[in-house]
Amino acid sequence: MSLQNRMTMSVTAKSGNEAFIRGAAAAFCVPLNPTLETINDIKTAVSEAVTNVIVHAYDEPEKNLIHIEAELFDDSLSIIIRDDGRGIADVGQAMQPMYTSKPEKERSGMGFTFMQTFTDELEVTSAVGGGTTVKMKKYIRSR
Amino acid sequence: MTAYGEFAGGRLIFFIEGELDDSNAAAAAEEFDKGIECRPREVVLDFSRLSFMDSTGVGMVISRYKRLKERGVPLYVTGLCPQTEKIFRMSGLLKIIKIV
Ligand SMILES: Nc1ncnc2c1ncn2[C@@H]1O[C@H](COP(=O)(O)OP(=O)(O)O)[C@@H](O)[C@H]1O
Ligand SMILES: [Mg+2]
């Protein structure tokens, strides 16, 4: 498992950046020649984590940032999506399938479930008032 | 993302094209809700030009499904690609919305 590449970026937490960030994460993995399914899994999982920052973390998302740190190994991607927002009081409850704190916004509450099913490892750490960090690892199947 | 409906013979075919996420799901939903004002007897989501959706799209589709169900109008889907098919399957949407 040797490190091939690293990337760090901080992007304005606005929904118009979701496509850009999941696209950047997918493009970052291209040197490993991933299958289309692997690319799609990464795009989906990253989209969920990024969407959560934009929808849930901040009162004024467009005045705040999403932080992304990625490492590409010869067999896998490790990616961290972090915010400095309100944090999650009960991470266990938040990760339950179909749990959402915003049902009135027609949210499905499937975000964490998708992050879990579409990656190989998911680690969520959060502190009320201290932001949320989502770390995911995905083994890359090559074409 | 582009969303539009085509109404013919009592059936609304609703197309969503491109990538559906939190930046555009509300716009797609608004267009859909306009489309069903013509009181279709069934609705088909045509996703053959939709290349990506995530859980925001799932929430949007489930809400539309529930609203139509209250009126006794069935909702179907067609043209799922591997990514959207996986989302439909993993979320359980495939259990309530049939592929035609
Ligand atoms: N970055 C975050 N900051 C604050 N709260 C969050 C964050 N991510 C997730 N949450 C909380 O966890 C819940 C579940 O998230 P998720 O499974 O993605 O469902 P949804 O986004 O549809 O609500 C959210 O409703 C929210 O309360
Ligand atoms: Mg979410």
Side-chain angles (χ1 to χ4, degrees):
Chain A
M1 196 177 85
S2 74
L3 185 61
Q4 312 272 309
N5 205 2
R6 298 177 68 193
M7 162 175 80
T8 303
M9 62 179 183
S10 295
V11 185
T12 299
K14 59 176 182 182
S15 64
N17 277 331
E18 289 168 14
F20 161 62
I21 299 170
R22 65 177 175 259
F28 185 67
C29 301
V30 163
L32 295 193
N33 215 13
T35 63
L36 190 57
E37 182 171 21
T38 303
I39 287 278
N40 282 334
D41 288 354
I42 290 166
K43 279 178 74 178
T44 309
V46 169
S47 195
E48 295 300 346
V50 166
T51 301
N52 278 354
V53 175
I54 294 161
V55 174
H56 302 295
Y58 300 115
D59 288 333
E60 295 183 295
E62 58 291 329
K63 291 185 183 164
N64 288 276
L65 293 170
I66 306 170
H67 307 285
I68 296 122
E69 285 162 55
E71 289 179 330
L72 192 65
F73 297 93
D74 48 9
D75 63 346
S76 60
L77 168 75
S78 171
I79 188 162
I80 292 172
I81 295 167
R82 187 171 58 77
D83 64 68
D84 321 299
R86 79 182 81 255
I88 304 172
D90 186 341
V91 173
Q93 177 191 51
M95 292 180 73
Q96 291 292 316
M98 312 221 286
Y99 172 82
T100 179
S101 55
K102 295 197 167 173
E104 76 288 353
K105 291 269 165 68
E106 302 188 339
R107 302 212 60 81
S108 63
M110 295 297 289
F112 279 125
T113 307
F114 283 175
M115 288 181 239
Q116 199 133 42
T117 29
F118 288 81
T119 64
D120 297 298
E121 285 168 32
L122 169 67
E123 206 181 290
V124 182
T125 44
S126 192
V128 174
T132 299
T133 300
V134 171
K135 185 175 180 192
M136 298 183 282
K137 187 175 186 72
K138 176 76 173 173
Y139 289 98
I140 303 218
R141 285 169 182 278
S142 299
R143 275 186 280 130
Chain B
M1 191 282 304
T2 316
Y4 58 97
E6 281 175 6
F7 186 66
R11 173 196 285 162
L12 176 74
I13 303 180
F14 193 77
F15 299 83
I16 303 181
E17 303 177 351
E19 300 203 346
L20 178 65
D21 65 17
D22 174 61
S23 71
N24 51 38
E30 194 183 321
E31 202 57 37
F32 185 97
D33 295 344
K34 255 190 262 166
I36 58 172
E37 277 169 19
C38 62
R39 308 214 156 266
R41 81 187 136 60
E42 62 177 31
V43 180
V44 180
L45 292 170
D46 189 325
F47 281 0
S48 45
R49 286 171 188 270
L50 185 68
S51 58
F52 177 88
M53 70 183 278
D54 60 19
S55 75
T56 303
V58 172
M60 186 276 230
V61 171
I62 289 179
S63 298
R64 309 275 112 29
Y65 165 81
K66 284 184 183 159
R67 249 179 254 183
L68 288 173
K69 196 175 181 211
E70 279 169 19
R71 305 188 196 173
V73 178
L75 179 65
Y76 304 103
V77 68
T78 190
L80 293 175
C81 70
Q83 196 271 342
T84 56
E85 199 268 342
K86 197 166 177 180
I87 294 290
F88 265 65
R89 192 157 32 86
M90 297 294 187
S91 64
L93 268 182
L94 269 192
K95 287 192 195 124
I96 55 173
I97 301 176
K98 296 239 148 45
I99 297 181
V100 290

